[in-house]
């Protein structure tokens, strides 16, 4: 996800097709960036089920901070003991902890850097109309 413009394109397509949306922030995005992005998407598409996933890599401290900030889902690829502790903390916050990256659409890579709305919309429509159980089962309205 490159930013708000990509998120809004994906949200518009998800909203028009009746599919929930999960937005994944890169590690550099951070928890507050992701939460702000989710908030903007929800204001633009109030009926859309949308959630966010933050890639924390193997950084347990970052993951714990993201959970405290209210990030609904984290990707943590660190050790099993840390993942178990974070999963327990996440459960107490109503959050999900993943230890493997789900399949995702990387708009920047798939569009080869293009920001043409028609191309981005087509990529999103193709992606979102495929079965994607994690997104649908974890997005909140």
């Amino acid at each position: 996800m490159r930013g708000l413009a990509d998120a809004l394109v994906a949200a518009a397509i998800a909203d028009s097709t009746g599919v929930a949306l999960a937005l994944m922030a890169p590690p550099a995005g951070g928890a507050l960036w992701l939460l702000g992005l989710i908030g903007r998407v929800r204001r633009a598409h109030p009926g859309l089920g949308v959630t966010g996933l933050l890639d924390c890599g193997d950084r347990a401290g970052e993951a714990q901070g993201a959970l405290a900030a209210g990030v609904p889902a984290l990707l943590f690829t660190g050790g099993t003991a840390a993942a178990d502790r974070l999963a327990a903390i996440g459960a107490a916050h109503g959050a999900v902890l993943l230890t493997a990256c789900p399949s995702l659409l990387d708009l920047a890579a798939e569009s080869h850097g293009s920001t043409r709305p028609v191309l981005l919309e087509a990529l999103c429509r193709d992606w979102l109309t495929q079965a994607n159980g994690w997104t649908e089962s974890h997005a909140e309205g």
Side-chain angles (χ1 to χ4, degrees), residues 57-119:
D58 63 356
R59 297 172 304 281
E62 181 180 339
Q64 190 168 358
L67 289 169
V71 172
L74 302 175
L75 173 60
F76 179 72
T77 56
T80 304
D84 291 344
R85 285 191 300 274
L86 288 167
I89 295 167
H93 285 86
V96 175
L97 182 87
L98 303 176
T99 56
C101 189
S103 60
L104 54 87
L105 170 63
D106 181 343
L107 276 178
E110 293 297 321
S111 69
H112 303 289
S114 173
T115 58
R116 288 187 18 235
V118 172
L119 175 60

